[in-house]
Amino acid sequence: MSAPKISVYSLSDLKNTTDDALPNYLTSLKFQQSHFLADVRLALGYSAVLIAGATFYADFKLGWDATKFWTLWAVVVYFILNGALTYWIWGVEKGKIFTGEFNETLVSIASSVKKHKPVYNLQVRYGKPGEEPRVLKIAAPFTRWFDADGFFVATPFQQWLATEIPPIGEADSKKVVGGGGGGGGGKKEEKVMEARQVKGHADSDKTTREGGARSRNSKKAT
Amino acid sequence: MLSTLNSLQPRQLLTQILNFALVLSTAFMLWKGLSVATDSPSPIVVVLSGSMEPAFQRGDLLFLWNRGQDTQIGEIVVYNVRGKDIPIVHRVVRRYGGGATPLNLLTKGDNNMADDTELYARGQDYLERSKDIIGSVVGYIPFVGYVTIMLSEHPWLKTVLLGLMGVMVVLQRE
């Protein structure tokens, strides 16, 4: 199953596909992904569901009068867990799609889109443990890595990430467009743009094919 | 459609299932919370018969409260007949006992010719307030409960509805 075709007019399809591709790419670069956030969310959610299930079963088997007292506590605990889950999703996870570590650098990446704007926003925090993390906000239109038919093309996406985010550039220096370690002054930025355009014209066909193959590989790798 | 499910990673799959389970369990726990608050095993009931017309029509949605145990004549109560699990909405027309002794009630449908002794279980001539009554009516919304009458008269609708809900939640992200 290679990259599935999506509707290019569906913003959530664009975002979800990209959200899925990003961790795949980073883990293929030997980033150590931490699943702590997702695991806590799942644990909170499933504990709540388990309590509701037990309440349902007890009510079904024993009836209302026998279970009245415990039902009160089950309801209280259920809604506390549900509140904690909501807090975890909105207050702690805040749209993070990847947290992990590479070369003793902690990286966390949160994605977002604004309603009806086909632009992918990333907020990246990275830094050595114990240090104040550096915060980087980058954005790019989805058209950069989705073709007109709705297929995800991995190479330009990976180049964008490697160029803009220093730890990724460090891990995958071949994908950094415009030479150097990524980032830099305004002049450099212009060069990067040029380089991208030239490359796009020269072998756009090759890029697409390569991209397709890559995304297949990265799927397999996980 | 199913390929979307296949391509999900375990945590994503678990998240999708969780979303669906949370919808169901939250609905159930809200219901139970209302039960606890009103002290009634079934705090919202739908009128199934026309025996209380013109006060209530078939399909009216009733809200019950079961915390005041000293039910008065004229109050409309919902009770379950012993051995049958069908709630009946009728008005209290007589009280016996109360205070130190257990309160017993006789009920009658406004639209019925006779009182409910015929409806009660064999050998039972009155309702015990603390055992049989599941609540007094404190409010109602006309007609909106008709959906549930439809669902119980055509049970396949339930399966269809539940299935549709499930498919929607699992296949939809956001």
Side-chain angles (χ1 to χ4, degrees):
Chain A
M1 193 163 316
S2 63
K5 187 174 148 73
I6 56 139
S7 160
V8 289
Y9 297 102
S10 162
L11 198 50
S12 66
D13 273 8
L14 291 167
K15 179 174 182 290
N16 287 332
T17 309
T18 314
D19 283 353
D20 293 348
L22 190 141
N24 279 347
Y25 170 50
L26 294 190
T27 46
S28 77
L29 296 177
K30 306 287 175 282
F31 273 69
Q32 284 294 317
Q33 187 171 7
S34 154
H35 291 292
F36 178 69
L37 290 172
D39 287 344
V40 171
R41 169 163 45 80
L42 289 172
L44 285 171
Y46 276 103
S47 321
V49 169
L50 224 62
I51 287 173
T55 311
F56 184 82
Y57 182 76
D59 184 50
F60 180 73
K61 277 275 165 197
L62 305 170
W64 165 251
D65 285 313
T67 54
K68 207 150 87 172
F69 175 76
W70 289 108
T71 301
L72 169 64
W73 288 106
V75 168
V76 169
V77 174
Y78 179 86
F79 283 104
I80 289 173
L81 283 174
N82 222 322
L85 176 67
T86 310
Y87 170 74
W88 193 261
I89 291 171
W90 296 102
V92 181
E93 285 197 296
K94 284 185 189 161
K96 288 197 186 77
I97 50 168
F98 181 87
T99 50
E101 186 246 297
F102 179 77
N103 255 354
E104 291 179 355
T105 305
L106 299 175
V107 181
S108 83
I109 302 175
S111 74
S112 62
V113 287
K114 291 210 175 69
K115 237 182 184 179
H116 309 312
K117 275 208 161 171
V119 174
Y120 193 54
N121 302 294
L122 288 183
Q123 193 188 49
V124 186
R125 292 165 175 275
Y126 64 96
K128 304 273 180 219
E131 285 175 15
E132 182 77 8
R134 300 183 55 180
V135 182
L136 192 66
K137 281 184 182 173
I138 56 176
F142 283 108
T143 46
R144 192 178 285 185
W145 53 84
F146 278 100
D147 65 16
D149 295 325
F151 286 104
F152 179 80
V153 187
T155 310
F157 177 62
Q158 297 173 352
Q159 283 172 342
W160 175 60
L161 292 176
T163 311
E164 300 283 352
I165 304 171
I168 300 179
E170 195 186 309
D172 194 9
S173 51
K174 272 185 232 151
K175 290 273 167 53
V176 177
V177 181
K187 270 184 192 169
K188 230 179 192 173
E189 205 80 321
E190 268 176 33
K191 261 185 209 159
V192 170
M193 289 296 291
E194 269 172 33
R196 229 175 254 149
Q197 275 172 358
V198 169
K199 197 169 193 284
H201 279 295
D203 52 15
S204 62
D205 188 41
K206 197 185 146 217
T207 314
T208 322
R209 229 179 288 140
E210 193 191 337
R214 270 198 188 275
S215 79
R216 223 168 290 140
N217 282 343
S218 60
K219 279 271 183 210
K220 230 178 248 169
T222 51
Chain B
M1 286 285 233
L2 277 176
S3 66
T4 1
L5 280 183
N6 274 332
S7 66
L8 291 175
Q9 295 179 357
R11 282 187 180 79
Q12 288 180 321
L13 185 66
L14 283 174
T15 303
Q16 301 289 84
I17 297 170
L18 178 63
N19 287 344
F20 181 51
L22 277 175
V23 172
L24 289 183
S25 64
T26 303
F28 176 69
M29 288 314 253
L30 281 173
W31 170 255
K32 280 290 150 196
L34 195 62
S35 271
V36 169
T38 58
D39 195 28
S40 167
S42 177
I44 299 175
V45 295
V46 174
V47 179
L48 297 174
S49 80
S51 65
M52 278 299 282
E53 282 179 22
F56 298 130
Q57 317 276 334
R58 245 162 85 83
D60 288 359
L61 197 69
L62 307 181
F63 298 93
L64 308 185
W65 186 255
N66 199 28
R67 287 204 175 269
Q69 291 281 315
D70 189 30
T71 309
Q72 300 297 320
I73 290 172
E75 261 182 63
I76 300 169
V77 295
V78 177
Y79 64 91
N80 277 326
V81 177
R82 284 177 205 171
K84 290 183 210 159
D85 214 19
I86 309 157
I88 296 175
V89 192
H90 280 173
R91 198 184 294 276
V92 175
V93 291
R94 249 174 239 177
R95 324 172 357 129
Y96 312 90
T101 51
L103 179 62
N104 296 321
L105 305 169
L106 178 69
T107 52
K108 175 184 173 297
D110 286 0
N111 200 24
N112 288 356
M113 298 298 284
D115 63 38
D116 288 353
T117 29
E118 287 289 307
L119 288 174
Y120 299 157
R122 270 176 171 276
Q124 192 186 358
D125 297 327
Y126 47 78
L127 298 172
E128 280 181 51
R129 172 65 186 88
S130 53
K131 269 195 203 160
D132 299 319
I133 307 286
I134 60 174
S136 307
V137 178
V138 288
Y140 81 108
I141 304 176
F143 203 66
V144 293
Y146 214 87
V147 187
T148 63
I149 295 184
M150 293 288 287
L151 286 177
S152 61
E153 281 174 5
H154 309 281
W156 57 271
L157 278 174
K158 270 187 214 170
T159 328
V160 170
L161 212 67
L162 208 69
L164 273 179
M165 268 169 56
V167 168
M168 295 249 283
V169 176
V170 171
L171 292 182
Q172 213 173 37
R173 288 172 76 178
E174 261 134 315

